[in-house]
Amino acid sequence: MTIVLIAALLYLTATAALVRAVGSDTPRPGRGWLAAAVPAMLLHAGYHVQVALQSAGGPDMHFFAALSLVGLGMAGLTSLVGARGRMAALGVVVFPLAAVLLGAYHGYGHEPSKELGWRLATHAWLALLSYATLSIAALLAIMQWLQERALRRREFRPWLRALPPLADLESLLFRVITVGFFLLTLTLVTGVLFVDDLLAQKLVHKTVLSVLSWIVFGVLLIGRRRYGWRGLKAVHWTLSAMLLLLLAFFGSQFVIELVFGHTTR
């Protein structure tokens, strides 16, 4: 519990530092927030390691554990991108979310996990990393929509100064989508190669929705390359694909584990 509380407080401290920077006249928030964000992520990861060492079987990857790990991945990606540019403003949303998801995992309890073996473990970790990356893409798409909306209405809010120019934000969005699409492709390939029986493991609906999401992201990238898709069209396609992906993993896992009391492993 102590680790969780300290990690949550550090996440909120990093958030407060970013909020102050966004509300000031400083064009860039600096890197002071990393002094709180990095220890928070280390403690977050350490808590999962501690639970894994104290539990039978492999690492816990059930519903709340997976949510917490995705939150950790999002925090890590936000810190990586934010330390190199002006997208640290993402942390205002991502860091509190990571704190909440870590708290939910601790509060819900920990389910015993079966030993996955290296093949299924590789598939699971790729899935979590792809979800975290594409979740960042969804947040970037929302920020792009908000920025475009504010500029059209000539509402020059202080938070706009914390964002890069619209063209740079859009370029970053598609770079993140490209990386996430590659990771999602590896996730689907390893799923086909390493999962023995989709019907027995109640994974058909998850696979179908994941493939649909992969198709939507792929069409978006093709449309961007061949037809120059951008703006609201890119935002709508990104959020639609992400919604399918969220339903694929967390929606189906919520129903299977928490409603029906079963497990996918």
Side-chain angles (χ1 to χ4, degrees):
M1 183 64 182
T2 302
I3 293 178
V4 173
L5 283 176
I6 295 175
L9 288 174
L10 287 170
Y11 274 132
L12 296 179
T13 300
T15 303
L18 288 171
V19 169
R20 286 197 301 270
V22 169
S24 69
D25 293 329
T26 305
R28 291 174 181 263
R31 297 184 180 181
W33 53 274
L34 284 170
V38 172
M41 291 183 291
L42 291 175
L43 289 173
H44 193 155
Y47 182 70
H48 279 270
V49 172
Q50 182 185 61
V51 171
L53 293 175
Q54 294 176 352
S55 304
D60 187 359
M61 288 190 180
H62 293 85
F63 181 74
F64 285 101
L67 277 175
S68 178
L69 288 169
V70 168
L72 175 60
M74 291 176 68
L77 291 170
T78 297
S79 298
L80 182 63
V81 173
R84 301 178 60 185
R86 293 193 345 190
M87 283 314 301
L90 273 173
V92 174
V93 176
V94 172
F95 292 147
L97 178 62
V100 169
L101 295 178
L102 175 60
Y105 173 48
H106 174 77
Y108 178 76
H110 312 111
E111 296 288 338
S113 297
K114 296 179 180 179
E115 194 70 45
L116 296 179
W118 71 269
R119 296 186 304 172
L120 288 180
T122 299
H123 169 68
W125 286 112
L126 281 171
L128 291 174
L129 187 56
S130 65
Y131 295 139
T133 304
L134 292 170
S135 294
I136 293 294
L139 288 177
L140 289 172
I142 292 172
M143 295 179 78
Q144 179 180 324
W145 172 73
L146 290 173
Q147 189 178 28
E148 287 190 348
R149 182 171 177 267
L151 292 174
R152 284 199 307 270
R153 297 185 177 187
R154 298 183 181 276
E155 298 174 349
F156 300 106
R157 306 293 186 182
W159 58 267
L160 284 174
R161 290 192 296 269
L163 300 179
L166 194 57
D168 292 345
L169 178 58
E170 189 171 72
S171 177
L172 177 61
L173 168 64
F174 277 96
R175 287 200 299 269
V176 173
I177 290 175
T178 300
V179 174
F181 181 76
F182 174 73
L183 292 170
L184 182 58
T185 301
L186 291 179
T187 301
L188 294 174
V189 169
T190 55
V192 171
L193 294 176
F194 298 154
V195 177
D196 296 326
D197 192 340
L198 293 177
L199 290 175
Q201 297 185 38
K202 306 178 180 68
L203 295 176
V204 172
H205 45 284
K206 181 184 294 187
T207 303
V208 170
L209 289 171
S210 296
V211 170
L212 288 175
S213 176
W214 179 82
I215 291 172
V216 174
F217 275 122
V219 171
L220 172 59
L221 290 174
I222 293 173
R224 168 72 170 183
R225 184 175 181 84
R226 296 192 61 179
Y227 307 111
W229 287 2
R230 55 183 303 174
L232 289 179
K233 177 173 287 189
V235 170
H236 292 156
W237 278 78
T238 301
L239 295 181
S240 297
M242 192 61 212
L243 178 60
L244 287 169
L245 197 60
L246 288 173
L247 290 174
F249 188 72
F250 293 113
S252 60
Q253 196 166 1
F254 175 83
V255 172
I256 291 172
E257 293 188 15
L258 302 183
V259 177
F260 294 110
H262 299 300
T263 177
T264 57
R265 284 170 290 277

